[in-house]
Amino acid sequence: MRQKIVAGNWKMHKNAEETEDLLNELIDKIPTDLDQRVIVAPTFVNLSAAADHLEFTPIEVAAQNMHQAEGGAFTGEISAGMLESVGVRIVILGHSERRAYFHETDALLAAKVDTALKHEMEVIFCFGEELKDRHAGQHFNVVENQLKDGLFHLEASAWKNIILAYEPVWAIGTGETASPEQAQEMHEFIRDIIRKNYGNTVAEDVSILYGGSVKPENAAEIFSKPDVDGGLIGGAALKSDDFTKIVLAI
Ligand code: 13P
């Protein structure tokens, strides 16, 4: 069933103490009786502590990345089994910063998705066009190819563990958000291509989040669009007041 979700991607911010402080603030401020899911993704080094801290709260914890192998000689990497072992059941894959700075390709991401799903983890799969693609009128093609190459090898039954996050690269950390109409137009397109490939049930059930400069001031309008099921929040997820307002804007 389609869910409303607000997720905070903390990126490379917050040391151990700051992580604990922000989690405490969120636990205090976010009501416990919400229908929407609330997810936070601290850095790897603080994940285990965060998972422990959030264990008896409704706030869920996600990793920002994961390696595709089960284990082995991959210095600096983290496996799905390791995430599971500290209570992390959700992973963000394909963030544009991973794609751009760490050269993660659609084929690599498809392998990561497979590994995560084998471990019955949920995947928040990120994708989105760059500004040059939009200027060239290629944004729909780019998004379709990212989905096709990263996810469309999956069986329909696997989609219950997939959350999509459309994040136009030009709107990430720039203060320039897609307009609610641009977000709705793309989300509707995404749901349509999923419908074509997998049928109506999968298309209607999948949650599609928008990410890119979501703030307390613009969240409600973006979330009001019928095909926008929530947000993946960067900068504004680092301040408990702002993140709480965004969570409550849905
Ligand atoms: P900002 O909200 O800072 O634009 O970042 C969005 C993002 O990249 C979330 O993954």
Side-chain angles (χ1 to χ4, degrees):
M1 203 186 64
R2 207 193 298 187
Q3 298 172 315
K4 301 270 185 206
I5 302 170
V6 178
N9 174 9
W10 292 10
K11 308 191 180 183
M12 197 169 74
H13 297 288
K14 305 287 178 190
N15 65 23
E17 198 184 329
E18 292 161 347
T19 297
E20 197 182 335
D21 288 347
L22 181 52
L23 292 177
N24 281 333
E25 290 172 26
L26 293 175
I27 291 167
D28 280 351
K29 291 177 187 175
I30 295 178
T32 52
D33 57 349
L34 298 176
D35 289 335
Q36 60 269 44
R37 291 175 67 186
V38 180
I39 302 171
V40 294
T43 59
F44 277 135
V45 75
N46 296 312
L47 262 187
S48 178
D52 284 349
H53 208 98
L54 295 172
E55 193 177 352
F56 299 108
T57 78
I59 304 174
E60 301 171 78
V61 66
Q64 297 176 19
N65 181 30
M66 188 200 85
H67 196 272
Q68 68 277 17
E70 294 295 337
F74 300 104
T75 301
E77 293 291 329
I78 308 277
S79 72
M82 290 169 191
L83 294 176
E84 270 187 303
S85 74
V86 296
V88 176
R89 310 286 314 148
I90 310 168
V91 61
I92 297 172
L93 293 175
H95 193 280
S96 66
E97 288 148 20
R98 299 294 320 169
R99 293 174 187 261
Y101 306 144
F102 303 96
H103 314 295
E104 295 200 359
T105 62
D106 291 323
L108 174 72
L109 292 169
K112 290 189 177 199
V113 168
D114 288 344
T115 302
L117 295 182
K118 205 166 120 203
H119 284 260
E120 294 182 5
M121 295 176 72
E122 274 184 294
V123 173
I124 301 177
F125 187 83
C126 305
F127 54 94
E129 82 283 1
E130 294 177 36
L131 193 56
K132 65 174 170 37
D133 304 321
R134 189 162 274 265
H135 283 161
Q138 289 300 311
H139 43 298
F140 293 116
N141 282 343
V142 168
V143 161
E144 183 164 3
N145 285 332
Q146 287 172 326
L147 288 173
K148 218 189 268 171
D149 295 344
L151 293 177
F152 282 5
H153 62 287
L154 297 175
E155 303 279 333
S157 61
W159 277 76
K160 66 180 187 310
N161 282 343
I162 301 289
I163 297 163
L164 299 178
Y166 168 59
E167 298 203 303
V169 178
W170 49 272
I172 295 177
T174 58
E176 185 179 347
T177 176
S179 68
E181 292 70 31
Q182 284 173 319
Q184 169 57 26
E185 181 186 38
M186 184 58 88
H187 284 221
E188 193 178 346
F189 171 78
I190 292 162
R191 215 178 287 286
D192 276 347
I193 51 178
I194 294 170
R195 188 175 290 111
K196 270 189 214 117
N197 280 275
Y198 288 100
N200 203 45
T201 306
V202 173
E204 286 303 320
D205 281 357
V206 68
S207 297
I208 310 178
L209 315 185
Y210 168 80
S213 297
V214 178
K215 307 278 179 243
E217 300 75 43
N218 59 22
E221 203 187 344
I222 295 172
F223 294 163
S224 72
K225 295 295 174 190
D227 286 298
V228 178
D229 303 307
L232 181 56
I233 319 300
L238 301 172
K239 295 188 194 119
S240 60
D241 281 338
D242 285 0
F243 190 65
T244 304
K245 282 183 193 149
I246 294 169
V247 166
L248 296 178
I250 206 162

Short mmCIF file of all heavy atoms in Angstrom, two decimals, residues 11-56:
data_model
loop_
_atom_site.label_atom_id
_atom_site.label_comp_id
_atom_site.label_asym_id
_atom_site.label_seq_id
_atom_site.Cartn_x
_atom_site.Cartn_y
_atom_site.Cartn_z
N LYS A 11 23.56 13.08 5.10
CA LYS A 11 24.82 13.18 4.32
C LYS A 11 26.02 13.13 5.27
O LYS A 11 25.96 12.45 6.30
CB LYS A 11 24.80 14.43 3.44
CG LYS A 11 23.52 14.49 2.58
CD LYS A 11 23.53 15.54 1.51
CE LYS A 11 22.20 15.50 0.75
NZ LYS A 11 22.14 16.43 -0.37
N MET A 12 27.10 13.85 4.97
CA MET A 12 28.28 13.76 5.85
C MET A 12 28.25 14.90 6.88
O MET A 12 29.12 15.78 6.90
CB MET A 12 29.58 13.80 5.03
CG MET A 12 30.78 13.29 5.83
SD MET A 12 32.25 13.02 4.82
CE MET A 12 32.78 14.71 4.51
N HIS A 13 27.20 14.86 7.71
CA HIS A 13 27.02 15.86 8.76
C HIS A 13 26.76 15.16 10.08
O HIS A 13 26.21 14.07 10.10
CB HIS A 13 25.83 16.77 8.44
CG HIS A 13 25.99 17.56 7.19
ND1 HIS A 13 26.85 18.63 7.06
CD2 HIS A 13 25.40 17.42 5.98
CE1 HIS A 13 26.77 19.13 5.84
NE2 HIS A 13 25.90 18.42 5.16
N LYS A 14 27.12 15.82 11.15
CA LYS A 14 26.83 15.40 12.53
C LYS A 14 27.80 14.31 13.04
O LYS A 14 27.80 13.18 12.55
CB LYS A 14 25.39 14.87 12.69
CG LYS A 14 24.31 15.85 12.21
CD LYS A 14 24.13 17.01 13.15
CE LYS A 14 23.08 17.98 12.62
NZ LYS A 14 23.05 19.25 13.38
N ASN A 15 28.60 14.70 14.03
CA ASN A 15 29.44 13.71 14.72
C ASN A 15 28.59 12.94 15.74
O ASN A 15 27.37 13.11 15.79
CB ASN A 15 30.65 14.41 15.36
CG ASN A 15 30.24 15.38 16.47
OD1 ASN A 15 29.15 15.25 17.05
ND2 ASN A 15 31.08 16.35 16.75
N ALA A 16 29.24 12.12 16.55
CA ALA A 16 28.48 11.23 17.44
C ALA A 16 27.59 12.02 18.40
O ALA A 16 26.40 11.72 18.58
CB ALA A 16 29.45 10.34 18.22
N GLU A 17 28.19 13.04 19.01
CA GLU A 17 27.43 13.83 19.99
C GLU A 17 26.29 14.60 19.32
O GLU A 17 25.16 14.65 19.83
CB GLU A 17 28.41 14.80 20.67
CG GLU A 17 27.91 15.37 21.95
CD GLU A 17 28.91 16.40 22.50
OE1 GLU A 17 30.13 16.25 22.27
OE2 GLU A 17 28.44 17.35 23.14
N GLU A 18 26.60 15.18 18.18
CA GLU A 18 25.56 15.95 17.46
C GLU A 18 24.44 15.03 16.97
O GLU A 18 23.27 15.42 16.94
CB GLU A 18 26.20 16.67 16.26
CG GLU A 18 27.15 17.78 16.66
CD GLU A 18 28.09 18.18 15.54
OE1 GLU A 18 28.21 17.46 14.52
OE2 GLU A 18 28.78 19.22 15.68
N THR A 19 24.81 13.83 16.60
CA THR A 19 23.79 12.85 16.18
C THR A 19 22.84 12.56 17.34
O THR A 19 21.61 12.59 17.19
CB THR A 19 24.46 11.55 15.70
OG1 THR A 19 25.26 11.86 14.55
CG2 THR A 19 23.44 10.48 15.34
N GLU A 20 23.42 12.29 18.50
CA GLU A 20 22.59 11.99 19.66
C GLU A 20 21.68 13.18 19.99
O GLU A 20 20.49 13.01 20.28
CB GLU A 20 23.49 11.64 20.85
CG GLU A 20 22.71 10.95 21.94
CD GLU A 20 23.56 10.62 23.15
OE1 GLU A 20 24.80 10.49 23.01
OE2 GLU A 20 22.98 10.51 24.24
N ASP A 21 22.26 14.38 19.94
CA ASP A 21 21.46 15.58 20.25
C ASP A 21 20.28 15.74 19.28
O ASP A 21 19.15 15.99 19.70
CB ASP A 21 22.34 16.84 20.17
CG ASP A 21 23.32 16.92 21.34
OD1 ASP A 21 23.16 16.15 22.30
OD2 ASP A 21 24.26 17.73 21.26
N LEU A 22 20.58 15.60 17.99
CA LEU A 22 19.51 15.79 17.00
C LEU A 22 18.44 14.70 17.15
O LEU A 22 17.24 14.98 17.08
CB LEU A 22 20.10 15.79 15.58
CG LEU A 22 19.12 15.99 14.42
CD1 LEU A 22 18.24 17.22 14.60
CD2 LEU A 22 19.87 16.09 13.09
N LEU A 23 18.87 13.48 17.42
CA LEU A 23 17.88 12.41 17.62
C LEU A 23 17.00 12.70 18.83
O LEU A 23 15.77 12.53 18.77
CB LEU A 23 18.57 11.05 17.78
CG LEU A 23 19.27 10.50 16.53
CD1 LEU A 23 19.97 9.20 16.85
CD2 LEU A 23 18.28 10.32 15.39
N ASN A 24 17.61 13.16 19.91
CA ASN A 24 16.81 13.48 21.10
C ASN A 24 15.79 14.57 20.80
O ASN A 24 14.65 14.51 21.24
CB ASN A 24 17.73 13.92 22.25
CG ASN A 24 18.37 12.72 22.92
OD1 ASN A 24 17.81 11.62 22.90
ND2 ASN A 24 19.54 12.92 23.49
N GLU A 25 16.24 15.58 20.05
CA GLU A 25 15.30 16.66 19.70
C GLU A 25 14.15 16.14 18.85
O GLU A 25 12.99 16.50 19.05
CB GLU A 25 16.04 17.78 18.94
CG GLU A 25 17.01 18.57 19.82
CD GLU A 25 17.87 19.53 18.99
OE1 GLU A 25 17.43 19.96 17.90
OE2 GLU A 25 18.98 19.84 19.45
N LEU A 26 14.47 15.28 17.90
CA LEU A 26 13.42 14.74 17.03
C LEU A 26 12.46 13.86 17.82
O LEU A 26 11.24 13.91 17.62
CB LEU A 26 14.04 13.93 15.87
CG LEU A 26 14.85 14.76 14.87
CD1 LEU A 26 15.51 13.85 13.85
CD2 LEU A 26 13.98 15.80 14.17
N ILE A 27 13.00 13.07 18.73
CA ILE A 27 12.14 12.21 19.57
C ILE A 27 11.17 13.09 20.37
O ILE A 27 9.99 12.78 20.52
CB ILE A 27 12.99 11.31 20.48
CG1 ILE A 27 13.73 10.26 19.65
CG2 ILE A 27 12.13 10.64 21.57
CD1 ILE A 27 14.83 9.53 20.39
N ASP A 28 11.69 14.20 20.88
CA ASP A 28 10.84 15.12 21.65
C ASP A 28 9.77 15.79 20.80
O ASP A 28 8.64 15.98 21.23
CB ASP A 28 11.69 16.25 22.26
CG ASP A 28 12.40 15.79 23.51
OD1 ASP A 28 12.08 14.68 23.98
OD2 ASP A 28 13.28 16.53 23.99
N LYS A 29 10.16 16.20 19.59
CA LYS A 29 9.29 17.09 18.81
C LYS A 29 8.31 16.37 17.89
O LYS A 29 7.25 16.91 17.58
CB LYS A 29 10.15 18.05 17.98
CG LYS A 29 10.89 19.06 18.85
CD LYS A 29 11.79 19.97 18.06
CE LYS A 29 12.62 20.82 19.03
NZ LYS A 29 13.61 21.66 18.36
N ILE A 30 8.68 15.20 17.41
CA ILE A 30 7.82 14.54 16.43
C ILE A 30 6.77 13.70 17.17
O ILE A 30 7.12 12.82 17.96
CB ILE A 30 8.66 13.67 15.46
CG1 ILE A 30 9.57 14.59 14.63
CG2 ILE A 30 7.75 12.85 14.54
CD1 ILE A 30 10.48 13.89 13.68
N PRO A 31 5.49 13.98 16.92
CA PRO A 31 4.45 13.22 17.61
C PRO A 31 4.56 11.72 17.31
O PRO A 31 5.05 11.33 16.24
CB PRO A 31 3.15 13.79 17.01
CG PRO A 31 3.52 15.09 16.41
CD PRO A 31 4.95 15.00 16.01
N THR A 32 4.12 10.91 18.24
CA THR A 32 4.30 9.46 18.08
C THR A 32 3.12 8.80 17.37
O THR A 32 3.19 7.63 17.03
CB THR A 32 4.46 8.79 19.47
OG1 THR A 32 3.37 9.21 20.28
CG2 THR A 32 5.78 9.15 20.12
N ASP A 33 2.05 9.57 17.14
CA ASP A 33 0.84 8.93 16.61
C ASP A 33 0.60 9.29 15.14
O ASP A 33 -0.54 9.39 14.69
CB ASP A 33 -0.36 9.37 17.45
CG ASP A 33 -0.51 10.88 17.47
OD1 ASP A 33 0.43 11.58 17.02
OD2 ASP A 33 -1.56 11.38 17.91
N LEU A 34 1.66 9.50 14.38
CA LEU A 34 1.50 9.92 12.99
C LEU A 34 1.25 8.73 12.08
O LEU A 34 1.72 7.62 12.35
CB LEU A 34 2.77 10.63 12.52
CG LEU A 34 3.16 11.91 13.26
CD1 LEU A 34 4.49 12.43 12.74
CD2 LEU A 34 2.07 12.96 13.13
N ASP A 35 0.53 8.99 10.98
CA ASP A 35 0.36 7.93 9.97
C ASP A 35 1.57 7.88 9.06
O ASP A 35 1.93 6.81 8.55
CB ASP A 35 -0.89 8.21 9.12
CG ASP A 35 -2.15 7.98 9.93
OD1 ASP A 35 -2.08 7.19 10.89
OD2 ASP A 35 -3.18 8.60 9.61
N GLN A 36 2.19 9.03 8.81
CA GLN A 36 3.33 9.04 7.90
C GLN A 36 4.57 8.41 8.56
O GLN A 36 4.73 8.50 9.77
CB GLN A 36 3.67 10.46 7.42
CG GLN A 36 4.03 11.46 8.47
CD GLN A 36 2.82 12.22 8.97
OE1 GLN A 36 1.78 11.63 9.22
NE2 GLN A 36 2.94 13.51 9.15
N ARG A 37 5.37 7.76 7.74
CA ARG A 37 6.61 7.20 8.26
C ARG A 37 7.67 8.30 8.31
O ARG A 37 7.74 9.16 7.42
CB ARG A 37 7.11 6.08 7.35
CG ARG A 37 6.23 4.85 7.39
CD ARG A 37 6.68 3.81 6.39
NE ARG A 37 7.99 3.24 6.72
CZ ARG A 37 8.64 2.39 5.93
NH1 ARG A 37 8.14 2.03 4.75
NH2 ARG A 37 9.80 1.89 6.30
N VAL A 38 8.50 8.24 9.33
CA VAL A 38 9.60 9.20 9.48
C VAL A 38 10.90 8.39 9.55
O VAL A 38 11.03 7.47 10.37
CB VAL A 38 9.43 10.04 10.76
CG1 VAL A 38 10.58 11.03 10.89
CG2 VAL A 38 8.09 10.76 10.75
N ILE A 39 11.83 8.73 8.67
CA ILE A 39 13.08 7.97 8.56
C ILE A 39 14.25 8.95 8.63
O ILE A 39 14.17 10.04 8.05
CB ILE A 39 13.13 7.22 7.21
CG1 ILE A 39 11.93 6.27 7.07
CG2 ILE A 39 14.44 6.44 7.05
CD1 ILE A 39 11.77 5.64 5.68
N VAL A 40 15.31 8.59 9.34
CA VAL A 40 16.52 9.41 9.31
C VAL A 40 17.71 8.55 8.90
O VAL A 40 17.78 7.36 9.25
CB VAL A 40 16.81 10.10 10.67
CG1 VAL A 40 15.73 11.12 10.99
CG2 VAL A 40 16.97 9.09 11.80
N ALA A 41 18.63 9.16 8.17
CA ALA A 41 19.81 8.43 7.69
C ALA A 41 21.09 9.15 8.14
O ALA A 41 21.61 10.01 7.43
CB ALA A 41 19.77 8.32 6.17
N PRO A 42 21.56 8.84 9.35
CA PRO A 42 22.84 9.40 9.81
C PRO A 42 24.01 8.72 9.10
O PRO A 42 23.83 7.80 8.30
CB PRO A 42 22.86 9.07 11.31
CG PRO A 42 21.50 8.54 11.65
CD PRO A 42 20.94 8.00 10.38
N THR A 43 25.21 9.16 9.40
CA THR A 43 26.40 8.58 8.76
C THR A 43 26.65 7.17 9.30
O THR A 43 26.20 6.81 10.39
CB THR A 43 27.65 9.43 9.06
OG1 THR A 43 27.81 9.47 10.47
CG2 THR A 43 27.52 10.83 8.53
N PHE A 44 27.43 6.40 8.56
CA PHE A 44 27.71 5.00 8.95
C PHE A 44 28.22 4.90 10.38
O PHE A 44 27.82 4.02 11.14
CB PHE A 44 28.76 4.39 8.03
CG PHE A 44 28.19 3.85 6.74
CD1 PHE A 44 28.82 4.12 5.53
CD2 PHE A 44 27.06 3.06 6.74
CE1 PHE A 44 28.31 3.61 4.35
CE2 PHE A 44 26.54 2.54 5.56
CZ PHE A 44 27.18 2.82 4.35
N VAL A 45 29.14 5.80 10.74
CA VAL A 45 29.82 5.65 12.02
C VAL A 45 28.86 5.81 13.20
O VAL A 45 29.09 5.27 14.28
CB VAL A 45 31.04 6.61 12.08
CG1 VAL A 45 30.61 8.04 12.30
CG2 VAL A 45 32.04 6.16 13.10
N ASN A 46 27.75 6.48 12.95
CA ASN A 46 26.77 6.71 14.02
C ASN A 46 25.49 5.87 13.87
O ASN A 46 24.55 6.03 14.65
CB ASN A 46 26.40 8.19 14.06
CG ASN A 46 27.59 9.04 14.43
OD1 ASN A 46 28.29 8.73 15.40
ND2 ASN A 46 27.88 10.07 13.65
N LEU A 47 25.48 5.00 12.88
CA LEU A 47 24.25 4.25 12.59
C LEU A 47 23.84 3.30 13.71
O LEU A 47 22.67 3.21 14.07
CB LEU A 47 24.43 3.42 11.33
CG LEU A 47 23.89 3.97 10.02
CD1 LEU A 47 24.02 2.91 8.95
CD2 LEU A 47 22.45 4.41 10.17
N SER A 48 24.81 2.59 14.23
CA SER A 48 24.51 1.59 15.24
C SER A 48 23.92 2.27 16.48
O SER A 48 22.87 1.86 17.01
CB SER A 48 25.79 0.83 15.58
OG SER A 48 25.54 -0.10 16.57
N ALA A 49 24.57 3.34 16.91
CA ALA A 49 24.06 4.09 18.07
C ALA A 49 22.68 4.66 17.76
O ALA A 49 21.78 4.64 18.62
CB ALA A 49 25.03 5.21 18.44
N ALA A 50 22.50 5.16 16.55
CA ALA A 50 21.20 5.75 16.19
C ALA A 50 20.11 4.68 16.20
O ALA A 50 19.00 4.91 16.70
CB ALA A 50 21.29 6.41 14.82
N ALA A 51 20.43 3.50 15.67
CA ALA A 51 19.43 2.42 15.64
C ALA A 51 19.04 2.04 17.07
O ALA A 51 17.86 1.84 17.36
CB ALA A 51 19.97 1.22 14.88
N ASP A 52 20.01 1.96 17.97
CA ASP A 52 19.72 1.65 19.38
C ASP A 52 18.84 2.74 20.00
O ASP A 52 17.86 2.47 20.67
CB ASP A 52 21.02 1.58 20.19
CG ASP A 52 21.76 0.28 19.92
OD1 ASP A 52 21.16 -0.61 19.28
OD2 ASP A 52 22.93 0.18 20.33
N HIS A 53 19.24 3.97 19.74
CA HIS A 53 18.56 5.12 20.30
C HIS A 53 17.08 5.18 19.87
O HIS A 53 16.21 5.59 20.64
CB HIS A 53 19.28 6.38 19.81
CG HIS A 53 19.18 7.53 20.71
ND1 HIS A 53 20.15 7.87 21.60
CD2 HIS A 53 18.21 8.46 20.86
CE1 HIS A 53 19.79 8.94 22.26
NE2 HIS A 53 18.62 9.31 21.85
N LEU A 54 16.83 4.80 18.63
CA LEU A 54 15.48 4.95 18.06
C LEU A 54 14.64 3.69 18.20
O LEU A 54 13.48 3.67 17.77
CB LEU A 54 15.59 5.33 16.57
CG LEU A 54 16.22 6.69 16.30
CD1 LEU A 54 16.46 6.89 14.80
CD2 LEU A 54 15.34 7.82 16.85
N GLU A 55 15.21 2.66 18.84
CA GLU A 55 14.56 1.34 18.83
C GLU A 55 13.10 1.37 19.29
O GLU A 55 12.24 0.76 18.68
CB GLU A 55 15.36 0.34 19.67
CG GLU A 55 14.90 -1.08 19.41
CD GLU A 55 15.70 -2.12 20.17
OE1 GLU A 55 16.72 -1.75 20.80
OE2 GLU A 55 15.28 -3.29 20.14
N PHE A 56 12.81 2.08 20.34
CA PHE A 56 11.42 2.08 20.87
C PHE A 56 10.68 3.36 20.51
O PHE A 56 9.76 3.77 21.21
CB PHE A 56 11.44 1.84 22.37
CG PHE A 56 12.07 0.50 22.71
CD1 PHE A 56 13.33 0.44 23.30
CD2 PHE A 56 11.42 -0.68 22.38
CE1 PHE A 56 13.92 -0.80 23.57
CE2 PHE A 56 12.00 -1.92 22.65
CZ PHE A 56 13.26 -1.97 23.24
#
